[in-house]
Amino acid sequence: MGRYIARRLLAMVPLLFGISVVIFTIIRLVPGDPIVIMIGVEQATPDEIVRLRQVLGLDQPIPVQYLKFLRRVVTGDLGLSLASDEPVSRLIRERLPATIELTLAAIAVALAIAIPAGVVSAIRKYTVVDTAGTVAALLGISMPNFWLGVMLIFLFALRLGWLPASGRPESLVGGLVTLVTTGDPSALATAAAHLVLPAVTLGSALAAVITRLTRSAMLEVIGQDYIRTARAKGLPGPRVVLRHALRNALIPVVTVVGLEFGALLGGAVITETIFAWPGIGRLAIRSIFQRDFPVVQGVVLMIAVVRICANLAVDVLYAVIDPRIRYQ
């Protein structure tokens, strides 16, 4: 297993190199001059534009700019933001915890809904419960995040007043630390309340996919001989389903969750914008409008690294869930 992981980590190097080339080239082809946006259309004089372009190195050929960018990335330096002159790595580091918290919460919501729903649909197949689960899954897949987020805000924040509409005054970890150190649960409750609607919005589509996947995998597994043998031995039904069938049905679910983790990080852009969530999604949107190339490059490269690492984690988890799987 160790050699397999080492080989996968080495294979990441050329892959990340190719991704960096594509990201750098595509961003340079986006219309709009970042210098004009920085100065302002009315205030931008030709001399000032030329001077700033020389200062920021944007007057050099793109291959030269890329080599300088690559040299900095190797040393962990993602450059400075054109808009704020702050280190890109610091901007990402400040906002990444919020996005990871939202992504993990969305996955938790999706799994909490989808796995029980998928198991029940498989056990009660072709019944009203199964049909209701299928319809709910189709709705979850069909509803776009921006529409669902707005509807949730309208219903639960504006009409019912149960949950806040936007913002992130406190992190879950910070609230938990406050609870442990002071015994005051208000910070944790505030953090959880602000997280509910964004997490449900972001995790709804994933919940729908996992529901259908769990149902299909369970239907296949519960038809196997070893499940019939377990039932014939007189084992209780819940034990057969939870201990013998569900574990083997979870392998495709783990695959989807691992692959979707990176997708949720990228897809959080819309959800974070709707709920004013201070994560890297909002940072990316703002940077795209400002033509802040270094920040956009840094965010996209970071998401690519996370997706590759998530794929590796999924492969490792296969062997944990199913001992028959071995990597050479």
Side-chain angles (χ1 to χ4, degrees):
M1 178 63 79
R3 293 178 60 186
Y4 172 77
I5 294 175
R7 285 202 305 270
R8 288 288 300 270
L9 291 175
L10 286 176
M12 288 173 58
V13 176
L15 183 58
L16 288 175
F17 174 75
I19 291 173
S20 69
V21 171
V22 173
I23 294 171
F24 194 90
T25 305
I26 289 178
I27 289 178
R28 263 45 182 196
L29 295 177
V30 174
D33 190 337
I35 304 300
V36 174
I37 295 174
M38 288 170 60
I39 301 175
V41 177
E42 296 180 355
Q43 291 80 15
T45 62
D47 292 341
E48 187 68 9
I49 291 174
V50 171
R51 188 188 67 80
L52 263 179
R53 188 167 283 121
Q54 290 175 343
V55 169
L56 297 174
L58 299 178
D59 60 328
Q60 298 173 338
I62 288 182
V64 175
Q65 293 184 43
Y66 173 74
L67 291 176
K68 289 184 176 181
F69 163 73
L70 190 61
R71 188 168 60 238
R72 289 197 305 268
V73 169
V74 170
T75 61
D77 180 9
L78 296 175
L80 298 175
S81 165
L82 296 179
S84 62
D85 205 31
E86 297 177 79
V88 174
S89 56
R90 191 176 76 191
L91 291 174
I92 294 176
R93 192 167 56 247
E94 289 175 350
R95 290 161 175 79
L96 186 59
T99 299
I100 290 179
E101 179 181 280
L102 174 59
T103 303
L104 293 178
I107 292 176
V109 168
L111 292 177
I113 296 172
I115 290 182
V119 171
V120 171
S121 291
I123 295 173
R124 306 290 183 189
K125 65 177 181 178
Y126 307 136
T127 64
V128 175
V129 175
D130 184 24
T131 304
T134 302
V135 172
L138 290 176
L139 286 175
I141 294 173
S142 305
M143 283 187 296
N145 278 0
F146 64 86
W147 182 85
L148 179 61
V150 171
M151 291 299 103
L152 290 177
I153 290 174
F154 173 76
L155 179 60
F156 292 101
L158 301 182
R159 299 288 295 183
L160 300 176
W162 291 352
L163 294 167
S166 62
R168 182 182 183 250
E170 181 64 88
S171 68
L172 274 183
V173 175
L176 190 59
V177 170
T178 303
L179 175 62
V180 172
T181 55
T182 66
D184 182 8
S186 59
L188 182 60
T190 300
H194 282 80
L195 186 58
V196 171
L197 294 184
V200 171
T201 301
L202 187 60
S204 59
L206 180 60
V209 172
I210 294 178
T211 299
R212 302 302 298 161
L213 197 60
T214 303
R215 180 185 181 277
S216 301
M218 283 293 295
L219 285 175
E220 182 179 348
V221 170
I222 60 179
Q224 299 292 322
D225 291 339
Y226 68 92
I227 296 295
R228 284 194 288 270
T229 302
R231 294 185 190 278
K233 288 169 62 179
L235 292 179
R239 185 177 177 185
V240 173
V241 170
L242 298 177
R243 186 168 180 177
H244 296 277
L246 182 58
R247 180 171 180 175
N248 291 307
L250 283 180
I251 291 179
V253 175
V254 170
T255 304
V256 170
V257 171
L259 296 176
E260 286 294 322
F261 180 77
L264 287 177
L265 276 180
V269 171
I270 296 173
T271 304
E272 290 181 359
T273 303
I274 293 172
F275 291 95
W277 192 261
I280 58 171
R282 288 186 69 200
L283 175 66
I285 288 290
R286 189 191 67 187
S287 302
I288 290 171
F289 281 118
Q290 293 175 332
R291 303 296 188 273
D292 197 343
F293 299 152
V295 176
V296 178
Q297 289 167 180
V299 170
V300 176
L301 197 59
M302 186 275 301
I303 292 175
V305 171
V306 171
R307 295 200 71 161
I308 294 172
C309 292
N311 289 341
L312 176 59
V314 167
D315 290 343
V316 174
L317 277 176
Y318 282 163
V320 175
I321 294 175
D322 189 347
R324 294 172 299 179
I325 297 176
R326 290 288 182 269
Y327 296 108
Q328 300 298 325

